């Protein structure tokens, strides 16, 4: 996105969802963006950009709220509101920065939840400081939303596990220093027969089968495991407990996907407002036209509605200590679909400029599309909400 970023507005930090410490986090994020750290990133080199972004965020202490601290490594203590605020702010400024931040938390969450003291001590500080990049290897070609269809296997062989199969659509694939891998170990049918492991890129039998290019460049890859032998001590949690670890990790971070979409929507709205005020048309400005005013009114209202759902879900987890399956699903589907509409209207307001490569709204248009799919597509979120509503009470 454009490197000239004005400071994101913070009026919503007055909402009762937040505490004074969240204002301090917002100020730290603003200082990071205004420091020019993002201006030094070459987005044409996606791999290098992600490494530099993670290191810069680690040095600034921004990763502290996403990655559990060693030695206890208790990921359940991670504050969802802080993660959401961070992702909203970073997405507003730079989509790749948001991606890089999110993957450090998502890729290390299961290690914090289920790793041995030795694993937590070896991995978490390096991920938290930005020295290492982390990845979360769950999806497969035939097992995206349907995790129980997973076919990648890990079999016991003495004091080791031998892994065979592939994972695809893996964020940070090909550049990560540590991977949290989920594989079928067969303790029970379906999801109850999946275990989690820590894999390093230099493990024998681990290779990158393919790098994947997408419309908003992010490092993605297909991972291949061929008789990949790792010590049994690198299993996370109990045998067959991998699906539970994956869901616990996603529960911590799912609402933050909505927050990222919210950041994109707020940026698009601000870009549209600036353009509407300055673009002269028919002897007035674009903003003087009632059709433009109606569009802006819809964009602002929808964005605030999505924000309320997003931070309600995070507050419910942090403060009420209650399950957020339904609330996070509502937030994710609403915020991503809202952001798509808001960004599309911003592009329309910009006219021909809106589809020119290099324009902020054009970049946002490419960024938002994936968020409506990953970590549960919109259609899946609707099913989750409905199933939660239909549960016996």
């Amino acid at each position: 996105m454009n490197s000239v970023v004005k400071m994101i507005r913070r009026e919503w930090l007055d909402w009762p969802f937040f505490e004074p410490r969240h204002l301090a986090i917002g100020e730290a994020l603003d200082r990071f963006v205004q420091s020019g750290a993002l201006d030094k990133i070459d987005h044409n080199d996606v791999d290098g950009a992600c490494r530099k972004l993670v290191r810069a965020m680690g040095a600034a202490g921004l990763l502290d709220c996403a990655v559990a601290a060693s030695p206890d490594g208790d990921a359940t203590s991670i504050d969802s509101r802080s993660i959401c605020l961070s992702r909203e702010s970073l997405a507003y400024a730079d989509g790749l920065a948001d991606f890089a931040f999110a993957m450090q938390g998502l890729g290390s969450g299961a290690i914090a939840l289920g790793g041995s003291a030795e694993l937590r001590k070896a991995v978490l500080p390096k991920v938290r400081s930005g020295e290492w990049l982390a990845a979360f290897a769950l999806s497969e070609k035939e097992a995206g939303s349907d995790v129980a269809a997973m076919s990648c296997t890990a079999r016991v062989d003495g004091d080791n596990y031998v892994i065979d199969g592939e994972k695809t659509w893996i964020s940070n694939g090909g550049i990560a220093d540590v991977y949290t891998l989920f594989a079928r170990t067969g303790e029970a049918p379906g999801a109850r027969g999946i275990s989690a492991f820590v894999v390093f890129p230099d493990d024998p039998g681990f290779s990158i089968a393919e790098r994947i290019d997408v419309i908003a460049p992010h490092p993605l890859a297909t991972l291949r495991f061929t008789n990949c032998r790792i010590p049994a001590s690198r299993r996370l949690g109990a045998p067959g407990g991998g699906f539970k670890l994956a869901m616990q990790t996603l529960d911590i971070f799912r609402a933050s996907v909505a927050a990222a979409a919210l950041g994109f929507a707020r940026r698009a709205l601000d870009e549209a407002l600036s353009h509407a005020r300055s673009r002269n048309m028919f002897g007035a400005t674009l903003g003087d036209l009632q059709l433009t005013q109606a569009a802006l009114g819809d964009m602002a209202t929808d964005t605030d509605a999505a924000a309320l759902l997003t931070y309600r879900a995070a507050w419910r987890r942090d403060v009420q200590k209650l399950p957020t399956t339904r609330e996070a699903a509502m937030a994710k589907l609403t915020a991503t679909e809202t952001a798509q509409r808001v960004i599309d209207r911003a592009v329309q307001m910009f006219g021909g400029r809106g589809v020119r490569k290099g324009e902020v709204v054009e970049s946002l248009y490419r960024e938002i599309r994936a968020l409506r799919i990953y970590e549960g597509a919109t259609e899946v979120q609707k099913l989750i909400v409905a199933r939660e509503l239909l549960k016996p009470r």
Side-chain angles (χ1 to χ4, degrees):
M1 297 183 200
N2 193 316
S3 61
V4 180
V5 183
K6 59 188 175 182
M7 203 167 288
I8 186 169
R9 296 192 302 275
R10 300 286 175 201
E11 299 99 327
W12 62 99
L13 281 173
D14 291 333
W15 292 350
F17 299 125
F18 297 105
E19 301 167 22
R21 61 193 174 94
H22 295 112
L23 178 60
I25 291 171
E27 290 171 346
L29 288 159
D30 285 335
R31 286 195 299 271
F32 177 76
V33 172
Q34 296 301 316
S35 73
L38 301 180
D39 298 338
K40 303 172 184 175
I41 303 300
D42 179 8
H43 286 70
N44 294 315
D45 174 15
V46 175
D47 292 358
C50 280
R51 286 201 172 278
K52 290 177 181 176
L53 283 165
V54 166
R55 286 172 183 154
M57 287 188 282
L62 299 185
L63 298 177
D64 291 359
C65 65
V67 181
S70 186
D72 58 28
D74 181 14
T76 60
S77 65
I78 289 176
D79 184 74
S80 292
R81 291 166 295 171
S82 298
I83 298 172
C84 288
L85 180 59
S86 298
R87 290 202 65 181
E88 180 184 353
S89 300
L90 290 169
Y92 181 98
D94 186 288
L96 197 59
D98 162 63
F99 168 91
F101 171 89
M103 286 314 305
Q104 292 301 95
L106 190 62
S108 65
I111 300 173
L113 287 165
S116 65
E118 291 76 16
L119 272 176
R120 295 197 304 265
K121 185 177 180 180
V123 174
L124 296 179
K126 291 184 177 180
V127 175
R128 190 178 171 97
S129 69
E131 181 182 348
W132 279 7
L133 271 68
F136 185 80
L138 181 66
S139 298
E140 298 182 8
K141 185 178 180 181
E142 302 297 333
S145 298
D146 183 10
V147 177
M150 184 181 298
S151 62
C152 181
T153 62
R155 60 181 173 84
V156 176
D157 185 9
D159 293 331
N160 300 294
Y161 277 91
V162 179
I163 304 168
D164 287 285
E166 291 189 350
K167 295 288 177 179
T168 194
W169 300 109
I170 306 306
S171 297
N172 278 347
I175 65 170
D177 300 284
V178 59
Y179 294 81
T180 296
L181 170 74
F182 299 86
R184 182 164 300 286
T185 44
E187 290 78 12
R192 292 178 296 162
I194 294 169
S195 299
F197 304 89
V198 168
V199 178
F200 297 111
D202 58 356
D203 285 331
F206 173 45
S207 62
I208 303 302
E210 176 191 19
R211 293 297 299 272
I212 303 170
D213 292 326
V214 289
I215 56 176
H218 293 158
L220 293 167
T222 298
L223 317 180
R224 179 172 294 152
F225 302 89
T226 308
N227 292 319
C228 178
R229 184 178 295 270
I230 65 169
S233 60
R234 287 211 229 136
R235 190 188 68 230
L236 302 173
F243 181 76
K244 181 179 179 180
L245 279 176
M247 295 304 103
Q248 285 178 318
T249 304
L250 291 171
D251 281 348
I252 294 171
F253 292 94
R254 181 168 284 120
S256 76
V257 182
L262 188 57
F264 292 148
R266 289 199 195 279
R267 182 67 186 275
L269 176 57
D270 280 351
E271 295 291 328
L273 285 168
S274 178
H275 183 67
R277 291 184 181 111
S278 62
R279 176 74 162 96
N280 292 315
M281 292 186 69
F282 308 117
T285 66
L286 181 62
D288 290 321
L289 302 178
Q290 287 186 334
L291 281 173
T292 302
Q293 293 173 9
L296 291 170
D298 285 340
M299 292 160 75
T301 302
D302 289 348
T303 299
D304 269 17
L308 287 165
L309 282 174
T310 299
Y311 287 109
R312 178 190 70 163
W315 173 82
R316 180 179 166 89
R317 177 189 174 272
D318 293 342
V319 177
Q320 293 188 306
K321 309 297 182 185
L322 293 172
T324 60
T325 302
R326 182 181 68 176
E327 290 77 12
M330 286 179 169
K332 202 267 184 182
L333 80 87
T334 301
T336 54
E337 293 296 324
T338 291
Q340 182 75 68
R341 293 192 301 272
V342 170
I343 292 167
D344 185 72
R345 284 191 171 185
V347 169
Q348 192 74 9
M349 283 187 200
F350 271 73
R353 274 184 60 194
V355 293
R356 182 176 179 177
K357 190 172 177 62
E359 290 284 346
V360 172
V361 292
E362 180 270 341
S363 176
L364 290 166
Y365 195 85
R366 288 184 288 107
E367 287 282 0
I368 189 54
R369 193 59 187 85
L371 265 70
R372 294 170 61 206
I373 298 172
Y374 80 69
E375 288 196 37
T378 293
E379 292 75 12
V380 173
Q381 302 306 325
K382 290 179 180 179
L383 290 176
I384 291 171
V385 172
R387 287 170 183 169
E388 289 295 310
L389 290 172
L390 291 168
K391 281 183 177 179
R393 299 189 182 278

